[in-house]
Structure formats: structure tokens, C-alpha cells
Amino acid sequence: MTVARSLVLLSAAVLLSPFAGASPVTDSITFTASGTANPNYTYTISGSASGSYTLTFDPTLTYTNATAGLTVNSFSGPFAAPTNIGFSYKPFSDQLEIGGTLDGVGMSPFGTNDYRVAFNNLSTDPTFTVFQATGTSDQLLTTTDGTVSITQQPVAATPEPSSLVLLGTGLLGALGAVRRRLA
């Protein structure tokens, strides 16, 4: 009976193993931002921006200039949006940045038609941090005046096929041991 019991316990451990780690989440992110030109700097402009994104990621991992899992639902800003949008996430500071990937998500240098938007406390109490946008000339919109709304939903973990095969093999072994014992 100990062999059958061991096989059943092993099968249960294999079945539960894909769910043991952190599960990915899907965030629906909406932001608005507006700012006025700084009279001390001739290159700053006034403007506003808004956007909506859907992001699926594992909040225990660090991401840098990642594009997989990010969908831009909408974006409106003072300049045209760049064609390549990505995100960076730091779990230790719970900070998310979304923006153009030309010089990296956290950068928006002059003349690049790029933007970035950052949020802090993503998993607890999300706060808007900053929005920066640059045009194709030396113009810059930077503001910390904004709002963010984030809805987070866990993604159901799907066991991998090899785990299911191992589980099935264990169950067949357990049934064989029970059958042999009864015969």
C-alpha cells in the first residue's frame, strides 16, 4: 500500500506544481495627464494626453523594454505615438513604465517623437507618476499632474502537457498497484 500511496501523493504534487508559483495577471490601465509650459524653459509646451492599455505579465519578474503581453487600446497626445510601444516593470519598487522603445521605455529624448508614462504602487494603490512626450523638434511636455485607473485580474494557470502526462502515468501506476493488491 505504501507504493500506491506514494504514487498518489506524487501525482497530486505534479498536478499542483504548475499552480505553485506566482500567476500572471492582466491589468487594464487607463490614464490621463495634462501640463502647462514652464516659462523658464523655451522648449516646453502645454498639452494633455490619455491612453488605455491591457497588460498581461508576471508581477514577480523584472521586465525591461518588453513588448509581449502589452496591447495599446488607445493613445492620444500632443505628438503622434511611436510605432513600437513596450513596458518596463520593477517588482521591488512596484513601478511600471509604458512608452516608445526607440531609446528604451524610460527615455524620451528630444526629436524622437517618443513618450513614456510611469505609475508607482501598481499592485497595491496605483498612483500616476509622470508623463513625458517629445516631438520631432525640440519640444517637450512633462507633467506629474495625472490620474490612473488600474483593474487587475489574475490569469488562470494552465498546466503544461508534460505535467499531465506524468500525472496520468502516476495514476495508472497507482491503479495497477491497487489492482495487483486486490487480485
Side-chain angles (χ1 to χ4, degrees):
M1 184 70 169
T2 58
V3 173
R5 187 176 294 162
S6 297
L7 288 173
V8 169
L9 289 175
L10 177 63
S11 297
V14 168
L15 178 62
L16 296 175
S17 66
F19 305 102
S23 294
V25 295
T26 297
D27 286 352
S28 298
I29 304 164
T30 304
F31 84 94
T32 59
S34 63
T36 56
N38 184 335
N40 297 323
Y41 300 100
T42 57
Y43 55 83
T44 64
I45 64 166
S46 298
S48 62
S50 63
S52 172
Y53 310 94
T54 302
L55 175 62
T56 301
F57 70 111
D58 184 342
T60 63
L61 301 178
T62 298
Y63 295 86
T64 304
N65 300 322
T67 55
L70 177 66
T71 302
V72 179
N73 302 320
S74 66
F75 176 79
S76 173
F79 309 111
T83 55
N84 296 319
I85 306 295
F87 73 98
S88 293
Y89 178 72
K90 302 171 190 160
F92 57 88
S93 61
D94 202 19
Q95 182 184 41
L96 172 69
E97 289 184 300
I98 297 174
T101 58
L102 181 63
D103 286 330
V105 170
M107 306 295 287
S108 50
F110 284 121
T112 59
N113 197 37
D114 205 352
Y115 79 93
R116 77 178 184 105
V117 60
F119 313 103
N120 283 336
N121 308 317
L122 190 67
S123 61
T124 55
D125 184 24
T127 56
F128 176 87
T129 306
V130 67
F131 175 80
Q132 288 184 319
T134 61
T136 53
S137 62
D138 288 345
Q139 295 178 322
L140 172 69
L141 170 64
T142 298
T143 183
T144 56
D145 296 329
T147 61
V148 62
S149 170
I150 298 177
T151 304
Q152 193 172 82
Q153 297 178 338
V155 175
T158 304
E160 57 182 287
S162 61
S163 296
L164 294 177
V165 169
L166 188 57
L167 171 67
T169 304
L171 289 175
L172 285 175
L175 288 173
V178 168
R179 186 174 180 193
R180 188 177 314 144
R181 184 166 163 35
L182 294 175

